[in-house]
């Protein structure tokens, strides 16, 4: 379980996150919504151990973020908003590249299966020749090489076609259901968020998102 | 390290043409420069015709001196042939050592010793004439000294009268032993005069070092590419920290470059007859470490590749200028010793120390972006 207790974060005098508390269970997909600058990406970076909160405590499966950061990182998969892959290498070479740097050993067959599960079939193609959707899938696949318990995704489907979106969404649901992964997902697409996520966290003061989400039967928490 | 090597090989496999080019570039460029310089050196010798009409030891001695002068290609021939070649512009100028040369020298006469010819295309006539006149001046001065010594000896009613040959020989011996006409002063041990005269126009290692600085800087662009690819985000969730990953890759590049440095030693030894000893290999390793650290740290300061490439060319050009490879800066640098310290090729130890210190500071410095 991911347990977040009373975390706060400021940039200078500007308070981004204030006394935020929530938890995520295994097998659960949590959506993060809010206007630009509300603090979604900051929260995700804190949960990814890339930023330290000013106050509060976070635990992942009883591992403290403050005291056991190295162990925590082994359990985290982070999918950045930017596509962080090597454009000049093929899909296979990208997977091999990051697998060599990973904590977990994976065979070529396992890596290929991971891509196939996401309908990423162009194994031998250079990444620069792939569509945006395919690149996004590869971006996600690389983050899953070490079988993370907590998967953090920052707008992973931005700018891609509907088919690829649906495929990524279906894969994430399967990942949560079959492997009990905890998934935290940022998106501005309300349809995607409501169809994919079990619960939704609404960050910021703008009532726009909350009003839209009220029409759904999802559990909504709001943080200002 | 094995994993880092495998990941780097994935990149090198894609980049091998450009990688190989820049690895071989210093050797190839230094070879081309050495060849071009040798060609230039042979082309800038001035063809001069010398006719020896006076069949005496002094006249032949003058001819030998002219023939041994650097940058002169001397043709000993007849007057008719020499003038014919001059007309055809195959000779820059012609000098005739006239009949009675030795006799006139001994009598202290300075007129009618030589006759010279030039054409409308003689570009080196004046300096060659001045040089030959200086040789003659030397001889006439010596003869005059001998004559004076003899006269003084007679006046002092000395018991022993030396012959002119004895005085002249003695004068030459003293000149040779004392090196009266040419003395070099130096604060450091330097090669002897013979070695100095036989030095090629271009120091191939100096040029190799400058081209190596350039190729090393340009190939350090991988650091910028890794940063641009935002690899630090991925590496936060891998077995290596970003700094550790960069450092290990830097080590791989250093090893690869050093292999090509050894190849350069082999090629220069084989084709340019350069002698390399073990201490020189160690110096080369120090130099390699220093420029690898320098290239790595320089790349850390850039985010745009083209700006980095421009800076690399600028840095290599500055080193080339300071080293005197392009313009002779020795008179200036000998007065301003700090210029020597500025130059990484001439002050490897100091620069290596600074580079390692900066690398250590870079490594231990706390990274802000990844908490």
């Amino acid at each position: 379980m991911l347990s977040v207790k009373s975390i706060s974060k400021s940039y200078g005098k500007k308070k981004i996150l204030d006394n935020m508390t929530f938890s995520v269970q295994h097998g659960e997909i949590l959506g993060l919504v809010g206007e630009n600058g509300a603090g979604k990406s900051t929260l995700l970076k804190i949960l990814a151990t890339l930023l330290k909160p000013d106050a509060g405590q976070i635990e992942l499966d009883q591992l403290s973020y403050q005291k056991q950061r190295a162990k925590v990182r082994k359990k985290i998969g982070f999918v950045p908003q930017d596509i962080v892959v090597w454009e000049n290498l093929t899909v296979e070479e990208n997977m091999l590249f990051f697998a060599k740097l990973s904590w977990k050993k994976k065979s070529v067959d396992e890596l290929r299966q991971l891509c196939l599960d996401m309908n990423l079939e162009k194994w031998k193609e250079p990444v620069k020749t792939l569509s945006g959707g395919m690149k996004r899938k590869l971006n996600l696949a690389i983050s899953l090489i070490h079988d993370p318990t907590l998967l953090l995704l920052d707008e992973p489907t931005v700018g891609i076609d509907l088919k690829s979106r649906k495929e990524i969404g279906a894969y994430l649901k399967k990942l949560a259901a079959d492997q009990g992964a905890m998934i935290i997902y940022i998106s501005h697409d309300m349809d995607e968020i409501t169809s994919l996520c079990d619960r939704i966290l609404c960050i910021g003061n703008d009532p726009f998102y909350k009003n839209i989400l009220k029409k759904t039967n999802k559990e909504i928490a709001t943080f200002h | 390290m094995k994993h880092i090597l495998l990941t780097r090989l994935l990149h090198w496999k894609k980049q091998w043409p450009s990688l190989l080019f820049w690895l071989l570039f210093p050797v190839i460029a230094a070879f081309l420069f050495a060849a071009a310089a040798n060609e230039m050196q042979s082309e800038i010798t001035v063809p001069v015709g010398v006719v020896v009409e006076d069949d005496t030891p002094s006249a032949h001695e003058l001819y030998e001196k002219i023939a041994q002068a650097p940058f002169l290609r001397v043709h000993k021939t007849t007057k008719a042939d020499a003038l014919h070649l001059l007309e055809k512009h195959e000779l820059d100028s012609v000098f005739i050592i006239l009949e009675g040369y030795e006799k006139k020298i001994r009598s202290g006469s300075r007129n009618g010793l030589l006759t010279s010819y030039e054409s409308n295309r003689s570009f080196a006539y004046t300096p060659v004439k001045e040089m030959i006149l200086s040789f003659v001046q030397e001889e006439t001065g010596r003869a005059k000294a001998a004559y004076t010594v003899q006269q003084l000896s007679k006046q002092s009613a000395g018991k022993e009268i030396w012959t002119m040959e004895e005085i002249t020989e003695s004068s030459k011996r003293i000149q040779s032993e004392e090196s009266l006409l040419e003395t070099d002063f130096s604060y450091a041990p330097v090669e002897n005069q013979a070695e100095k005269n036989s030095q090629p126009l271009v120091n191939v290692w100096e040029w190799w070092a400058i081209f190596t600085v350039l190729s090393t800087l340009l190939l350090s662009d991988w650091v910028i590419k890794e940063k641009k690819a935002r690899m630090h985000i991925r590496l936060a969730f891998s077995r290596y920290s970003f700094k550790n990953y960069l450092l290990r890759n830097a080590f791989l590049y250093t090893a690869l470059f050093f292999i090509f440095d050894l190849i350069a030693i082999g090629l220069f030894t084989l084709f340019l007859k350069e002698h390399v000893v073990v201490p020189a290999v160690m110096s080369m390793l120090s130099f390699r470490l220093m420029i690898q650290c320098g290239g790595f740290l320089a790349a850390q300061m850039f985010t745009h590749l083209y700006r980095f490439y421009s800076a690399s060319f600028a840095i290599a050009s500055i080193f080339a200028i300071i080293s005197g490879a392009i313009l002779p800066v020795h008179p200036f640098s000998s007065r301003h010793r700090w210029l020597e310290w500025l130059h990484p090729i001439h002050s490897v130890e100091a620069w290596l120390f600074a580079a390692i210190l900066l690398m250590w500071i870079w490594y231990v410095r706390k990274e802000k972006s990844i908490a």
Side-chain angles (χ1 to χ4, degrees), chain B residues 345-360:
Chain B
I345 299 168
H346 295 162
S347 310
V348 173
E349 291 82 6
W351 277 74
L352 177 62
F353 176 75
I356 289 173
L357 182 68
L358 287 172
M359 283 290 280
W360 181 77

Side-chain angles (χ1 to χ4, degrees), chain B residues 129-341:
Chain B
K129 182 188 76 178
E130 293 297 328
M131 186 191 71
I132 293 173
L133 283 180
S134 74
F135 293 155
V136 175
Q137 195 94 2
E138 203 180 308
E139 276 305 302
T140 55
R142 192 176 282 123
K144 192 176 179 186
Y147 179 76
T148 309
V149 169
Q150 278 185 328
Q151 292 306 309
L152 284 170
S153 184
K154 277 178 190 170
Q155 281 172 19
S156 63
K159 292 171 186 170
E160 192 177 354
I161 301 290
W162 299 295
T163 64
M164 189 161 247
E165 284 75 17
E166 281 174 332
I167 296 165
T168 308
E169 278 307 309
S170 181
S171 153
K172 284 179 185 171
R173 183 176 50 77
I174 292 165
Q175 182 184 332
S176 158
E177 283 173 6
E178 303 295 328
S179 249
L180 291 173
L181 294 179
E182 188 173 3
T183 305
D184 281 351
F185 290 97
S186 170
Y187 291 107
V190 292
E191 63 276 31
N192 64 37
Q193 198 59 36
E195 279 176 354
K196 198 172 148 187
N197 287 340
S198 66
Q199 265 188 354
L201 202 62
V202 161
N203 182 342
V204 69
W205 283 113
E206 185 111 41
W207 278 103
W208 173 86
I210 290 162
F211 290 127
T212 295
V213 168
L214 179 64
S215 71
T216 305
L217 281 170
L218 292 176
L219 279 182
S220 297
D221 66 347
W222 66 270
V223 178
I224 299 169
K225 287 175 183 168
E226 298 279 347
K227 285 197 297 181
K228 277 176 86 80
R230 301 176 62 77
M231 276 295 292
H232 63 279
I233 293 175
R234 290 265 181 238
L235 287 161
F237 307 99
S238 79
R239 67 167 82 189
Y240 303 98
S241 71
F242 187 48
K243 280 186 175 178
N244 202 296
Y245 168 81
L246 290 181
L247 211 56
R248 283 166 189 258
N249 273 290
F251 176 79
L252 287 179
Y253 269 96
T254 307
L256 181 70
F257 263 110
F258 191 62
I259 290 168
F260 279 81
D261 292 346
L262 295 176
I263 290 171
I265 289 178
L267 291 173
F268 289 162
T269 309
L270 197 65
F271 295 109
L272 301 178
K273 311 293 176 209
E274 293 281 332
H275 298 292
V276 178
V277 289
V278 173
V281 176
M282 296 311 292
S283 297
M284 186 177 254
L285 182 60
S286 302
F287 176 66
R288 169 54 58 202
L289 279 174
M290 183 266 293
I291 53 172
Q292 285 298 137
C293 291
F296 181 82
L297 291 167
Q300 292 284 346
M301 294 189 284
F302 288 85
T303 48
H304 297 282
L305 279 171
Y306 289 105
R307 284 184 195 164
F308 178 67
Y309 294 148
S310 307
S312 301
F313 277 101
I315 291 168
S317 303
I318 290 167
F319 289 162
I321 291 166
I322 296 174
S323 70
I326 294 173
L327 295 168
V329 294
H330 181 68
F332 190 69
S333 62
S334 57
R335 270 183 282 138
H336 303 277
R337 305 299 293 178
W338 54 269
L339 266 178
E340 291 283 311
W341 285 90

